[in-house]
Amino acid sequence: MAVSALELRPRNAVSLMDAALRLCARSTGVWALTLPGGAAVVAAMLYLAEAVRLGRPLVLPTLALTLAWFLRGVCQGAACHHIQARLLEGQGEPSTWDSLKAALGRLPSLCVAVGYLFVFDGMALLFGLGVAYVVFSSASVGYAAVMQGRGSVLGLYGHCSRLLGPARGTATMVRILMSVQVLVFFNLHIAFNFLLMLARKLLGIDLTFAERFASLDNAPWLLFLVATTFALFEPVRAATATLLLVDGRVRQEGLDLMAAAQQLPTRDSGKPLGPRSAAVLAVALGLGLLVGSPARADEVAPRPPVTSGRDAARRLGQVAQACEGEDTASDPRFERLGSLGPGERGKLDRLVRAVERQAYDNEDCESALAALERGLTQATSTVEAQEKADARVASARARDILARPEFAVAPPRDEETKEPTPPPEPPGWWRRFIDKLGEWLKEFFKRDEAPAPVDVAPPAVTGGAVANVLVVMLVGLTVVVLGVVLMRALRKSRPSHREAGLEVSTLDATTLAGDPAHALSRPPEGWAQLADELAARGEYREAVRSLYLALLSRLHRDGAILYDVTLSNWDYLRQFKGRTEWKPRFRELTLRFDFAWYGNTPVGQSGYQEFRSLTAPMLAAPATLEAAGA
């Protein structure tokens, strides 16, 4: 749906941003064209970050990011074409396939624009400390300018500045308003953590590692949030760029209209010269300039041709002074010769040659002055006709500009006939929901009307009395059942109080020895010895795992935890019953083990030694005494 002509007026930055957001909310084609490029950039950036973290070669990740960035430029160009067609063509919602074909048709220009804008914005951020990035904001409409197919791509910034015109200040303010992406960044972080909390609280899912990953002190998570925010604002960038070009066009056409109106002729008492009279005068002037006496080429040196009206006035003035004619300074007709256009240069050249030939070659000053007088008279008439023609051209140009849809004036309304008032727009879904909710609450809290009193003799046994008796019986029966259940529970719990703190393991030693992943398959000393052997061979991750299993075995033997293969490491931390000063150390060891074993974090000799020093006090502490007879 095209924008109404009354809506095409100069807008400020806030209005443009609001229009861009509303346009993106109503058009699915913009999202379909921009999200593939944004998703490709997000995936390529995460791939590059993972390669940097693991120390892998960066050739393929860098190539993937470059291709994704070029794909993003093509998607931006297609989205700008889609929005411009939606706004200005007035043919309804354009198809995304047509916009994509238009972008592919300008693929070389878009690729050059991608490289140009990347280098330009990078230099503005690097050398201008961010200030130049805001000041030189005309480059923000680069893709929209390329899709118009005008100007050189290598001079893209100057071309964008010319298209924006007076809207360059608005483009700067729009780039400043784009800092709202910071709020979206933090809102994405809060929303993701809120969803994790709901999954953990309501569904009982253990998302400890996901919560640890989605924290602000994790660099990959920050990079993911930045890239996602950038991708979500891709439709807004395309919409604001197209709207800025439309705003610059409206402002420039308004200024052109003012300039054309200033060139309109002023009203005078004389009758203006018609176009047919001006043409006849120009032909007569051209024929009159051919008058002159022949000269021999072997006796007269060739004279240079006339280069401009001022040159002709200077040379004719020299002839007038040589023939003792009128002073050129007092005759304004010589100054008007400079107003003749390039089309009259040949006629001036013939006039000057004829006058110079009669004055210098033939030494006939009288004929030369007569020819000069006729030429000045005809040139003055031609200048006046040219000014009239330019005024008519300016008037026609002003009428053409005023005839455009964006400058159309609504016809005056007839006072006698009143237009019927349009029917009110139906309320939105939110208004209907609020009204329905208000009606339901009103009905819910409405008091029931008291029934009319009926004079009826009460029966001997009423239904209310029977119901009261049944309720009393049910309550009494429930109390009795609860008392029986409570007494049975107390009888069963008495032996457990006498044997508090005693835990007996019934696992078969042969079964445990066959399971190397079970912490109770070896004593703590055996796991510690295995960890030292693995560290000596350079297998530090496996050594850290062996030390952590030794710690679990020792804590189970001391009764601090109840080891179970179905529990996670953080479940052991939550049920920890050992010494209070050991719990922070146990938490730190669990966190390091999860990052090393499950997070694939590289572990070196220094990391293993730190883990060994943290587990040493807990493994070397004296064991707690077991219950007698255990």
Side-chain angles (χ1 to χ4, degrees):
M1 182 178 64
V3 178
S4 174
L6 298 179
E7 294 294 328
L8 287 176
R9 60 180 184 273
R11 301 295 186 93
N12 55 18
V14 178
S15 300
L16 282 176
M17 282 292 293
D18 179 67
L21 292 174
R22 287 189 286 110
L23 185 62
C24 293
R26 297 175 183 176
S27 177
T28 57
V30 183
W31 292 91
L33 289 171
T34 55
L35 283 185
V41 172
V42 173
M45 291 186 69
L46 292 179
Y47 181 33
L48 180 61
E50 186 68 14
V52 171
R53 189 178 69 87
L54 299 179
R56 296 175 180 172
L58 303 181
V59 178
L60 289 179
T62 306
L63 179 61
L65 181 59
T66 304
L67 295 178
W69 197 258
F70 277 99
L71 176 62
R72 180 244 175 191
V74 175
C75 292
Q76 281 286 307
C80 292
H81 178 272
H82 184 82
I83 296 173
Q84 185 172 1
R86 177 185 174 90
L87 287 177
L88 300 181
E89 291 183 1
Q91 299 177 357
E93 180 77 16
S95 63
T96 56
W97 178 243
D98 293 338
S99 299
L100 185 59
K101 287 194 295 185
L104 293 177
R106 300 192 180 277
L107 184 60
S109 299
L110 285 175
C111 292
V112 175
V114 169
Y116 181 93
L117 293 176
F118 182 80
V119 175
F120 183 85
D121 292 338
M123 293 180 63
L125 286 172
L126 181 62
F127 298 105
L129 300 178
V131 179
Y133 179 77
V134 177
V135 173
F136 299 106
S137 57
S138 299
S140 60
V141 300
Y143 296 114
V146 169
M147 291 305 297
Q148 292 187 1
R150 294 183 294 177
S152 175
V153 184
L154 299 179
L156 185 59
Y157 183 80
H159 178 55
C160 293
S161 300
R162 287 191 298 273
L163 289 179
L164 286 174
R168 287 192 294 270
T170 308
T172 301
M173 292 303 300
V174 167
R175 179 161 280 187
I176 294 175
L177 290 177
M178 277 293 181
S179 58
V180 74
Q181 298 177 82
V182 179
L183 299 179
V184 178
F185 171 86
F186 286 106
N187 286 334
L188 285 176
H189 172 72
I190 294 171
F192 191 83
N193 282 272
F194 179 73
L195 292 177
L196 290 179
M197 184 192 70
L198 288 181
R200 181 167 52 85
K201 295 291 186 181
L202 300 180
L203 303 179
I205 303 175
D206 188 9
L207 299 173
T208 305
F209 186 77
E211 292 176 350
R212 180 67 188 90
F213 176 78
S215 59
L216 292 178
D217 57 349
N218 189 16
W221 172 248
L222 290 178
L223 183 62
F224 171 76
L225 287 181
V226 170
T228 305
T229 305
F230 179 82
L232 290 177
F233 268 79
E234 287 290 270
V236 182
R237 290 187 185 88
T240 52
T242 307
L243 290 176
L244 279 171
L245 287 185
V246 173
D247 185 67
R249 175 183 170 186
V250 171
R251 293 174 186 265
Q252 288 179 357
E253 289 179 349
L255 295 179
D256 292 344
L257 178 62
M258 293 176 60
Q262 291 175 0
Q263 295 178 9
L264 292 175
T266 58
R267 187 182 301 273
D268 53 4
S269 58
K271 184 179 180 180
L273 188 64
R276 182 173 300 175
S277 301
V280 171
L281 182 59
V283 172
L285 178 60
L287 294 176
L289 294 179
L290 297 175
V291 177
S293 58
R296 289 175 293 182
D298 55 351
E299 296 180 357
V300 181
R303 296 182 178 89
V306 175
T307 58
S308 63
R310 297 184 183 276
D311 186 20
R314 178 181 58 80
R315 293 168 62 175
L316 291 175
Q318 292 175 358
V319 173
Q321 291 177 2
C323 294
E324 297 180 355
E326 296 182 1
D327 188 8
T328 57
S330 61
D331 193 350
R333 294 180 297 177
F334 286 95
E335 296 180 0
R336 304 199 70 176
L337 291 177
S339 301
L340 290 173
E344 308 293 334
R345 189 174 301 167
K347 301 174 184 178
L348 278 176
D349 184 50
R350 290 191 292 271
L351 173 63
V352 172
R353 290 178 181 273
V355 173
E356 289 179 344
R357 188 184 305 112
Q358 292 177 1
Y360 298 146
D361 301 341
N362 301 336
E363 297 181 356
D364 188 0
C365 289
E366 183 178 357
S367 300
L369 291 177
L372 176 60
E373 184 66 25
R374 290 194 304 271
L376 290 176
T377 303
Q378 294 174 356
T380 303
S381 302
T382 303
V383 170
E384 293 176 355
Q386 183 177 348
E387 291 178 353
K388 299 291 184 179
D390 292 342
R392 287 192 295 274
V393 171
S395 178
R397 184 182 178 190
R399 286 195 300 271
D400 292 340
I401 294 177
L402 288 174
R404 292 176 181 175
E406 54 265 26
F407 295 102
V409 180
R413 295 184 179 179
D414 192 0
E415 297 180 357
E416 297 179 358
T417 60
K418 295 183 179 179
E419 296 182 358
T421 57
E425 296 183 359
W429 66 270
W430 178 252
R431 184 75 271 172
R432 294 196 302 270
F433 173 74
I434 293 298
D435 295 341
K436 191 67 177 179
L437 181 62
E439 294 176 0
W440 182 79
L441 291 177
K442 185 177 179 180
E443 292 292 334
F444 182 78
F445 290 103
K446 184 179 179 181
R447 293 186 177 182
D448 297 333
E449 297 181 358
V454 180
D455 296 335
V456 179
V461 179
T462 62
V466 175
N468 291 334
V469 173
L470 290 177
V471 168
V472 172
M473 293 176 63
L474 290 175
V475 170
L477 182 61
T478 303
V479 171
V480 172
V481 172
L482 289 177
V484 173
V485 172
L486 181 62
M487 292 184 65
R488 289 184 178 181
L490 291 176
R491 289 177 182 177
K492 291 182 179 181
S493 61
R494 287 176 184 175
S496 62
H497 287 294
R498 292 193 299 266
E499 299 177 2
L502 180 62
E503 296 181 0
V504 180
S505 176
T506 59
L507 296 175
D508 188 6
T510 306
T511 304
L512 294 179
D515 186 5
H518 204 284
L520 303 182
S521 61
R522 295 172 182 261
E525 296 80 6
W527 284 116
Q529 183 179 359
L530 179 61
D532 293 336
E533 294 175 358
L534 293 172
R537 294 198 300 266
E539 301 176 3
Y540 295 108
R541 289 183 66 251
E542 289 76 5
V544 167
R545 175 178 176 274
S546 298
L547 279 179
Y548 192 77
L549 291 177
L551 179 62
L552 294 180
S553 177
R554 178 58 187 272
L555 293 176
H556 177 77
R557 290 172 182 267
D558 293 346
I561 63 172
L562 179 61
Y563 183 80
D564 190 351
V565 294
T566 61
L567 299 179
S568 66
N569 300 333
W570 297 95
D571 291 334
Y572 297 144
L573 181 63
R574 283 190 288 271
Q575 70 175 7
F576 187 78
K577 300 178 182 179
R579 300 181 184 178
T580 306
E581 62 274 12
W582 281 6
K583 191 169 184 179
R585 186 185 297 269
F586 185 42
R587 180 184 291 106
E588 179 67 21
L589 289 170
T590 302
L591 182 63
R592 294 194 178 196
F593 171 72
D594 282 353
F595 270 96
W597 187 252
Y598 299 109
N600 291 325
T601 302
V603 180
Q605 183 177 4
S606 59
Y608 170 74
Q609 293 298 332
E610 292 179 2
F611 198 89
R612 186 80 165 99
S613 62
L614 288 173
T615 55
M618 301 179 68
L619 294 177
T624 56
L625 297 177
E626 297 182 354

